[in-house]
Amino acid sequence: MEFLMNRKKIIKKARRIVIKIGSAVLAGDLHSGVDESLFSNLAKDISHIIKDKRKVILVSSGAIAIGMKRLGLKEKVKSIPEKQAVAAVGQGSLMALYDRAFGTEKIKVAQVLLTHNDLSDRQRFLNAKNTLQTLLKYDAIPIINENDTVAVDEIKFGDNDHLSALVTNLVEADMLIILTDIDGLYNKDPKRYRDAELIPVVDDIDKFISAAGGAGGIYGTGGMQTKLEAAKKAAHFGVPTIIANGREKSVLKKIFSGQDMGTLFLPLEDRLTSRKHWIAFTARPAGSITVDDGARNALLKKGKSLLPSGIKGMEGEFDSGDVVKCTGPDGSEIGRGIVNYSSNELKKIKGLKTSEIEKALGYKYFDEVIHRDNLVIR
């Protein structure tokens, strides 16, 4: 009873919600593409949420599933060009289904296609943020998908679970809901063990991540592992996540009425700011800096900034303002941060005191190579 009361309190506070719906929910069997009735049911559920003065952002898979159906393909495509072509065929039809379903509910929708580069670059990240904020201001539902027709590594290595977690930070959401084809997180694989039990709430997600596994379905690239990783990213931003069965009738309506649906992942109390969340999970490191034991201890135990005196070396070519990894003498990653000097400049000032920077370079921008405010310890 206490859990249900806390759950209702958490859900009541959520005013801006990111909902991710996967191919495992939208797609039928191998030959049937997507289940079009689910779009109507989803629109009705989201209409119920919006009427309660909440904002919704939808992250949707399904383009490849629809493209396979329209092209008459009976086996999952494997090569990158094939996946890009199939996604290009399916994306328009996917949006048409959403437009028709939400139009019946008198709700406007907008297509937003993103690649990882749109979010890893800080300026493009902020541009995307402003676009989405404006769409919400216009009471339109952004329907976000990876731009699979041009993104190579996003198709090969990425997934919409990961994207939904990044979008949660991008739009400063209060809750992430991941709809999949099972009821939530179990203590063991429910497809293999009849005595598997659903876990209603998780307060320490890290201990579950290493135990989760399983490959994606015929259309998907993620399993429970990727969903747990997404919930972890959201938790670091101070956002709760619910993983629930998207094929359950009126599942969203039930969730927001306070019913015990799916698994609730509680957020971390020591949350990262939006900027630090971007540094930790969204930005792609342009290189790495190796520090000595003294600097390692100062970063990990004393909460200090990184100074040039503690730098032993670096890898890669990067500019001032790029995100880089910080590694210890043994090569293990300590953290990530925004660097104040380029790799070429660091080659000249590594190991020096801050008072010697100007003499070595002819100028000095900062005392710190990475300021503590721009550093996230891993």
Side-chain angles (χ1 to χ4, degrees), residues 163-192:
L163 177 60
S164 67
L166 301 185
V167 168
T168 299
N169 177 40
L170 180 66
V171 301
E172 299 180 355
D174 306 305
M175 176 171 284
L176 171 62
I177 296 177
I178 298 177
L179 298 180
T180 185
D181 59 346
I182 61 174
D183 293 335
L185 178 66
Y186 285 80
N187 62 346
K188 59 180 76 173
D189 187 351
K191 296 178 181 178
R192 296 177 58 190

Side-chain angles (χ1 to χ4, degrees), residues 142-156:
I143 299 179
I144 302 173
N145 197 358
E146 284 186 314
N147 195 351
D148 289 342
T149 60
V150 298
V152 176
D153 52 354
E154 280 73 17
I155 291 180
K156 190 174 181 180

Side-chain angles (χ1 to χ4, degrees), residues 39-55:
F39 289 83
S40 177
N41 295 335
L42 183 66
K44 289 177 182 177
D45 266 14
I46 291 178
S47 174
H48 175 79
I49 296 171
I50 291 174
K51 287 176 182 177
D52 197 24
K53 297 182 178 180
R54 305 178 198 256
K55 299 290 186 180

Side-chain angles (χ1 to χ4, degrees), residues 193-208:
Y193 301 98
R194 291 185 179 181
D195 61 342
E197 296 179 0
L198 181 69
I199 301 171
V201 61
V202 172
D203 58 3
D204 183 4
I205 190 171
D206 287 324
K207 68 181 181 181
F208 288 97

